[in-house]
Amino acid sequence: KQEVTQIPAALSVPEGENLVLNCSFTDSAIYNLQWFRQDPGKGLTSLLLIQSSQREQTSGRLNASLDKSSGRSTLYIAASQPGDSATYLCAVMNEGAQKLVFGQGTRLTINP
Amino acid sequence: EAQVTQNPRYLITVTGKKLTVTCSQNMNHEYMSWYRQDPGLGLRQIYYSMNVEVTDKGDVPEGYKVSRKEKRNFPLILESPSPNQTSLYFCASSFYPTLPGQGSEKLFFGSGTQLSVL
């Protein structure tokens, strides 16, 4: 059974710093991996989707990498801003399955 | 505007009173899904649908029903709600390409329905 873990559960950094969020998964036979952002009381917004054949995806100040063999993904946020404060979740979809398995998220706070 | 619309946003009900949470998307997506989000348990998938009249169980389907009679709608039905179904519910949809390069499977979420069962 696929399990997705995100460490740390919470992270607080000063504005302007570059930071990395981690996601690990137990079954490497994945179809794709997505990173989401969730603001308090709101739905999730998909930030980046990486197919199993890809190594990374970039969007603006965000870069997500995928190492399938080691069961790891990272989300790199450059030059962090207070508006980046939110909970970030990663989710994987296994090959041959249409179920998405989510990590519990990392609650990120960027201090001005 | 491309969106997934859930209704209602908030719902308080009593044990055993049947209810339906509606979900509609305007992006012509094949794939739709329901999740519940609980503190300490994260997001868990209830049911999903690959297309009209095609539905399947997720990880926590007990006590829920779904239907997919039209491509745009995917209602969640609680026939006899119980207090352990008190949760924040999300509907989501995505394109489901059958060939590589046809499109992105990025998942679009609704704003959520906060359900309280007394």
Side-chain angles (χ1 to χ4, degrees):
Chain A
K1 180 184 173 184
Q2 180 71 271
E3 292 182 1
V4 181
T5 303
Q6 292 184 247
I7 296 173
L11 182 63
S12 180
V13 300
E15 180 179 3
E17 284 203 0
N18 304 325
L19 60 98
V20 174
L21 306 180
N22 297 296
C23 172
S24 61
F25 45 94
T26 55
D27 185 350
S28 62
I30 67 169
Y31 179 68
N32 64 39
L33 182 146
Q34 286 190 67
W35 281 94
F36 294 89
R37 169 189 174 132
Q38 185 176 26
D39 293 286
K42 302 280 183 64
L44 283 71
T45 300
S46 181
L47 299 172
L48 291 163
L49 181 148
I50 310 178
Q51 301 290 356
S52 62
S53 58
Q54 298 174 324
R55 294 297 297 248
E56 65 176 355
Q57 283 285 330
T58 298
S59 176
R61 294 182 294 108
L62 305 179
N63 175 278
S65 68
L66 174 65
D67 184 339
K68 249 183 58 168
S69 60
S70 67
R72 293 179 188 277
S73 176
T74 62
L75 179 67
Y76 174 83
I77 303 177
S80 58
Q81 303 170 357
D84 295 330
S85 297
T87 296
Y88 291 80
L89 299 102
C90 73
V92 301
M93 182 175 285
N94 277 17
E95 290 177 355
Q98 308 311 324
K99 296 195 294 184
L100 208 59
V101 180
F102 283 83
Q104 296 232 16
T106 294
R107 189 172 69 253
L108 177 65
T109 303
I110 307 298
N111 302 303
Chain B
E1 180 189 354
Q3 59 185 3
V4 178
T5 303
Q6 284 180 239
N7 280 298
R9 182 75 177 88
Y10 300 94
L11 179 58
I12 301 174
T13 190
V14 295
T15 299
K17 186 176 181 182
K18 181 180 179 180
L19 67 91
T20 299
V21 184
T22 63
C23 175
S24 179
Q25 49 92 7
N26 62 0
M27 295 167 279
N28 202 34
H29 284 163
E30 293 87 3
Y31 181 87
M32 297 187 75
S33 184
W34 278 102
Y35 302 86
R36 61 178 288 174
Q37 187 174 34
D38 302 286
L41 297 175
L43 273 152
R44 295 177 293 168
Q45 192 167 34
I46 303 171
Y47 269 95
Y48 63 93
S49 169
M50 298 302 297
N51 215 322
V52 175
E53 303 291 2
V54 181
T55 63
D56 208 347
K57 297 177 181 178
D59 292 319
V60 288
E62 296 78 18
Y64 305 94
K65 284 177 58 178
V66 292
S67 69
R68 188 93 181 270
K69 293 182 169 51
E70 305 165 284
K71 198 172 185 179
R72 64 183 292 124
N73 296 322
F74 191 45
L76 180 69
I77 302 156
L78 284 71
E79 295 270 4
S80 183
S82 62
N84 65 11
Q85 292 178 298
T86 292
S87 186
L88 179 58
Y89 290 86
F90 289 104
C91 178
S93 73
S94 73
F95 184 64
Y96 189 72
T98 54
L99 290 172
Q102 277 189 335
S104 169
E105 298 102 327
K106 273 194 175 184
L107 205 56
F108 289 78
F109 276 78
S111 299
T113 296
Q114 180 64 60
L115 172 65
S116 295
V117 183
L118 306 177

